[in-house]
Amino acid sequence: MDACEAMPKSDTIKLRNKHIGKSCQLFYRTDPLKIVRGQGQYMYDEQGARYLDCINNVAHVGHCHPKVVEAGSRQLATLSTNNRFLHDELVKCAQTLAQKMPGNLSVCYFVNSGSEANDLALRLARQHTARHEVITLDHAYHGHVSAVMDISPYKFNQPGGDPKPDFVHVAPCPDVYRGKYRDCDFPEGTDLGQLYADEVQRIIERSPTGIAAFIAESLQSCGGQIIPPAGYFQKVYDAVRNAGGVTIADEVQVGFGRIGTHYWAFEPHGIIPDIVTVAKPMGNGHPVGAVVTTPEIAESFASTGVCYFNTYGGNPVSCAIANAVMRVIDEEQLQENALRVGHYLLEQCKALAYEYQLVGDVRGTGLFVGIELVHDRQRRTPATRVAKAVVERMKTVHRILVSSDGPDDNVVKLKPPMVFNTDNADEFLCGFRECLTYLEQQQQQQQQQMNATPEVVPATPVRVTHPLATGGILQPSPISRAQHDTSTLIKSI
């Protein structure tokens, strides 16, 4: 038994099944991994098998980075207490965050997680505007506490989810590939950013009491690695502010240099939010997060006379770790690495579309990449089961960890630690190419086994109603049963 393993995997599973709530789900539920050690961009199971981690945007500067471990250990051995005492690590962390923010974003509140950060951001926005209504994006996820579950369609739209509150308004996700306004439905050069921004404007105009805030991930992750069209956020921010609301940028998954070109993912859009929330990568696995806002909004929040108190938010250990993470990003030029390696990875992934019909769209920036799998490129029908099969085969055959997400769970996501290099990219590409080859061969074999005249599945028309759209009602060609149903294929894997 490995020295890092306290008990056999079978006993771990038994205890988990007995004492951990069933709603606490694992990756790879049919054959879960027991990870006992991590280093850099790799994780190791109880048998010593090494896995390439392409999924872990929490271990931002790499698992168990020695400088982060040393900073946390040193501070833990010195002092760990609540944040109501003066401490240098807290004010240095706030200073660094403020220096890395544009504009007048200079006041910080420290929390333990992204959920807490977004919950507090809503409180700040509502106090500043004296309003309550919020605009969120479809498929968005902003956390697990009650207030942010209310603004997370990714959760409340699931079967069994609580109904959407009346004060929450859902705007279409600005997905130009399979969203409400698709690039294929409009003439080249159409301003799709404007079309999606108009949806937000209409919500603002219908608001009965006025909008307190618009909240959005700068790049939507759970929604399927979405890159908003040019100009979208600028137009939305203008509309929200003209109506007296404030803007919240959720950087919990995409901040701290991941996109390569900038430190924060909202920066390429040419916008400066009123409130920014950060967490996950900030602590490299340690629970720490923050809300950064302007002095004006902070003053509105203070004017209530109700103090903000978070026992562990901003404690010396958390801030020491966050400070170390930000130093490592700068010293090891990990943002530059994300730009260089991400560009190579994205270009190589795009080349897969010339080899495999399953690859419908490839999008991303830096070490934030999504590969959308489809059955038919014209119809853009999601290949959900295929995506799940790819994720499973990447783990079992190639020992590469990826995940799938999006409204139809057909987007293979990559958000690896920032130390991910070109050799790692090549390893991923080799494994991914083998998976697609295997799946396409299985499809061909199934087609050959079917009757000479395959059963035809009627295609569902795609109705395009916007006046700028040239397609009207698109009537795609019927597809074969083999293309439509991959359940037999998946069972054979």
Side-chain angles (χ1 to χ4, degrees):
M1 186 184 300
D2 192 284
C4 294
E5 187 185 23
M7 64 183 72
K9 180 177 178 179
S10 58
D11 288 351
T12 304
I13 292 173
K14 289 177 183 177
L15 280 178
R16 183 180 178 93
N17 289 339
K18 181 178 181 180
H19 296 296
I20 305 300
K22 290 182 179 180
S23 58
C24 301
Q25 295 182 349
L26 294 163
F27 289 128
Y28 313 107
R29 278 172 281 172
T30 57
D31 182 24
L33 286 175
K34 183 175 182 181
I35 298 298
V36 299
R37 184 168 68 89
Q39 188 63 53
Q41 60 272 58
Y42 303 106
M43 297 199 296
Y44 300 82
D45 69 13
E46 80 284 0
Q47 296 179 343
R50 190 204 79 175
Y51 292 83
L52 176 61
D53 185 0
C54 299
I55 195 176
N56 212 314
N57 63 328
V58 176
H60 193 63
V61 299
H63 293 276
C64 301
H65 193 288
K67 292 183 179 179
V68 176
V69 172
E70 193 277 331
S73 300
R74 183 180 66 251
Q75 185 58 53
L76 185 61
T78 305
L79 175 69
S80 178
T81 186
N82 65 48
N83 65 7
R84 299 185 83 174
F85 298 98
L86 283 173
H87 200 278
D88 292 344
E89 294 290 353
L90 177 116
V91 294
K92 287 192 297 184
C93 190
Q95 180 185 45
T96 302
L97 280 173
Q99 289 173 344
K100 291 184 177 297
M101 291 284 174
N104 203 24
L105 292 162
S106 58
V107 181
C108 300
Y109 301 83
F110 286 94
V111 295
N112 302 290
S113 68
S115 296
E116 283 191 15
N118 285 324
D119 175 79
L120 178 57
L122 292 179
R123 290 179 60 192
L124 291 168
R126 285 166 170 160
Q127 175 60 32
H128 185 68
T129 61
R131 298 172 178 176
H132 198 71
E133 296 181 47
V134 177
I135 300 176
T136 187
L137 296 181
D138 205 5
H139 316 306
Y141 174 63
H142 295 292
H144 65 81
V145 299
S146 296
V148 291
M149 285 281 282
D150 285 345
I151 59 167
S152 297
Y154 183 77
K155 289 295 185 180
F156 67 62
N157 278 342
Q158 291 186 12
D162 292 333
K164 179 185 73 65
D166 291 339
F167 59 80
V168 174
H169 308 285
V170 180
C173 171
D175 175 5
V176 300
Y177 183 70
R178 289 189 58 243
K180 182 172 184 177
Y181 302 115
R182 307 184 306 172
D183 52 12
C184 62
D185 296 330
F186 296 87
E188 186 175 352
T190 300
D191 189 349
L192 298 181
Q194 183 68 63
L195 298 185
Y196 277 109
D198 288 343
E199 294 282 341
V200 177
Q201 180 64 53
R202 284 190 281 272
I203 290 174
I204 292 171
E205 292 169 356
R206 294 195 303 266
S207 169
T209 62
I211 298 298
F214 167 84
I215 184 170
E217 294 175 272
S218 304
L219 301 172
Q220 200 177 76
S221 180
C222 292
Q225 306 294 85
I226 302 301
I227 311 295
Y232 171 72
F233 275 123
Q234 289 179 328
K235 295 178 175 67
V236 168
Y237 274 34
D238 286 345
V240 171
R241 285 169 173 159
N242 289 339
V246 300
T247 56
I248 304 171
D250 181 341
E251 292 271 330
V252 169
Q253 298 207 53
V254 294
F256 295 93
R258 174 163 296 279
I259 67 168
T261 56
H262 298 78
Y263 205 79
W264 307 113
F266 64 77
E267 292 182 279
H269 300 291
I271 56 174
I272 300 178
D274 300 302
I275 304 171
V276 179
T277 58
V278 296
K280 290 185 191 295
M282 184 176 174
N284 212 54
H286 189 84
V288 58
V291 178
V292 188
T293 190
T294 65
E296 294 77 15
I297 292 177
E299 183 59 34
S300 294
F301 193 55
S303 68
T304 64
V306 179
C307 72
Y308 174 71
F309 173 50
N310 188 316
T311 302
Y312 300 113
N315 72 78
V317 176
S318 294
C319 288
I321 288 172
N323 286 330
V325 168
M326 289 187 282
R327 285 195 299 271
V328 168
I329 294 171
D330 293 341
E331 292 169 0
E332 298 186 6
Q333 298 182 316
L334 294 184
Q335 180 182 327
E336 292 79 1
N337 181 70
L339 179 63
R340 181 179 62 257
V341 177
H343 177 75
Y344 173 77
L345 177 62
L346 189 63
E347 290 304 307
Q348 293 299 311
C349 286
K350 287 181 177 179
L352 294 173
Y354 295 99
E355 302 177 54
Y356 304 98
Q357 289 297 310
L358 284 168
V359 177
D361 189 42
V362 176
R363 50 187 178 261
T365 173
L367 292 176
F368 179 90
V369 175
I371 305 170
E372 183 146 359
L373 302 183
V374 297
H375 288 303
D376 181 280
R377 287 183 178 176
Q378 180 184 0
R379 299 174 72 242
R380 301 185 178 184
T381 48
T384 300
R385 291 192 179 98
V386 173
K388 289 181 177 295
V390 167
V391 170
E392 186 64 28
R393 187 171 178 84
M394 288 288 278
K395 183 204 78 165
T396 56
V397 176
H398 302 284
R399 291 180 179 171
I400 299 173
L401 306 182
V402 296
S403 64
S404 62
D405 221 324
D408 294 290
D409 204 13
N410 67 314
V411 181
V412 177
K413 303 189 341 180
L414 288 90
K415 295 181 296 181
M418 296 278 280
V419 291
F420 199 80
N421 57 41
T422 52
D423 288 341
N424 300 142
D426 286 336
E427 182 179 350
F428 163 79
L429 290 160
C430 182
F432 195 70
R433 184 174 280 108
E434 187 279 334
C435 289
L436 294 180
T437 299
Y438 175 82
L439 291 166
E440 288 197 347
Q441 288 175 345
Q442 292 293 304
Q443 285 182 323
Q444 291 171 4
Q445 291 174 8
Q446 287 183 9
Q447 183 63 50
Q448 292 171 359
Q449 293 171 1
M450 296 180 73
N451 297 331
T453 305
E455 181 183 354
V456 172
V457 180
T460 303
V462 179
R463 183 176 296 276
V464 183
T465 58
H466 195 277
L468 289 181
T470 56
I473 297 180
L474 302 182
Q475 187 67 52
S477 302
I479 60 173
S480 70
R481 171 66 65 181
Q483 289 174 300
H484 181 267
D485 186 1
T486 60
S487 58
T488 305
L489 161 64
I490 304 308
K491 291 177 183 177
S492 70
I493 296 175

